[in-house]
Amino acid sequence: MVDIPESRPSRHSGGRSSPAPRWIPLALSAWLLLVGGGTVGLWTWSGTAEAEAVTVEAWPEGSALEHAKDRPTIVMFAHPKCPCTLASYEELSRALTVVERIPLVHLVLVEPEGAAADFQDSTLASRARRDGFCLVQRDRGGALAKQFGARVSGHVLLFSAAGEALFSGGITAARGHEGSNLGVQRLCAGLRGVAPEATRFPVLGCGLFDEEPGR
């Protein structure tokens, strides 16, 4: 009698497959940790203020900026290269639609001493000049920003006709993110003549005096 060898399942048959290499679960775990850590880091960065918001209680005496005596005045400080501030600008633009009379609005672009002539050339500056609802000011060396206590790009201040500071801080919920938030709601309330419940809010943006914001 001829012995017939037992058949064994081939690697393509329905038999039990070989176990996966041990490095695959380790690699998957490392990838999940990397993705999770990056996501947490992004949310932490987007929701963290660059510096504590500082403000003046009234319009600074002798400021080179014009203060309207017949309507509110808004000042927004911005770093021309900050990618976060476009969202703040959009929120400000929408906020102005809730008032019957547009306040006097200054957009102050801060630049370091010795900056190149084209330092202010940016999407934000071009957009503001095209829209035309604000006066675009150049702040070489940040003298105006320091006078008003602004340290972070996107810092908005609202003053009454009498010079009282009604609002100071940021108007986005996270860096570079548009959408309704408590800061812009309080700004709108001040523009409508309603006394804000709180006047100061954290500013979520890049430092005004950073040479390369957004890195």
Side-chain angles (χ1 to χ4, degrees):
M1 179 180 295
V2 179
D3 292 333
I4 301 176
E6 296 181 1
S7 61
R8 296 182 180 180
S10 67
R11 67 180 60 184
H12 299 293
S13 68
R16 179 181 299 178
S17 59
S18 300
R22 293 181 179 180
W23 63 266
I24 292 181
L26 294 176
L28 180 60
S29 298
W31 179 80
L32 290 174
L33 286 174
L34 180 63
V35 172
T39 302
V40 171
L42 177 60
W43 280 106
T44 300
W45 175 84
S46 65
T48 303
E50 181 73 18
E52 187 68 23
V54 178
T55 187
V56 293
E57 300 298 332
W59 188 268
E61 190 71 26
S63 174
L65 291 179
E66 177 187 357
H67 171 243
K69 304 298 183 182
D70 59 342
R71 52 183 169 147
T73 300
I74 290 178
V75 184
M76 172 183 276
F77 288 93
H79 192 301
K81 311 298 185 183
C82 175
C84 318
T85 307
L86 276 172
S88 299
Y89 177 85
E90 293 291 350
E91 291 300 328
L92 177 59
S93 178
R94 279 191 285 268
L96 296 179
T97 64
V98 306
V99 293
E100 296 181 359
R101 185 179 184 188
I102 299 296
L104 176 62
V105 183
H106 296 285
L107 175 64
V108 181
L109 301 177
V110 180
E111 62 179 63
E113 291 285 358
D118 61 350
F119 186 81
Q120 292 197 20
D121 294 346
S122 63
T123 302
L124 175 63
S126 300
R127 172 72 183 277
R129 291 188 175 97
R130 184 175 70 249
D131 291 347
F133 67 80
C134 58
L135 300 175
V136 181
Q137 312 283 350
R138 185 179 186 181
D139 186 18
R140 182 178 290 275
L144 289 172
K146 295 172 184 176
Q147 186 180 44
F148 281 82
R151 300 176 181 176
V152 182
S153 188
H155 192 155
V156 176
L157 299 102
L158 170 65
F159 296 89
S160 69
E164 177 188 5
L166 301 177
F167 175 87
S168 177
I171 55 174
T172 58
R175 292 189 181 198
H177 289 267
E178 300 176 36
S180 180
N181 61 87
L182 190 57
V184 78
Q185 290 170 16
R186 293 292 185 263
L187 175 65
C188 290
L191 287 170
R192 293 194 300 266
V194 179
E197 297 177 11
T199 59
R200 300 185 184 186
F201 292 86
V203 187
L204 304 174
C206 302
L208 278 172
F209 306 101
D210 292 350
E211 292 186 5
E212 297 183 54
R215 293 193 60 180

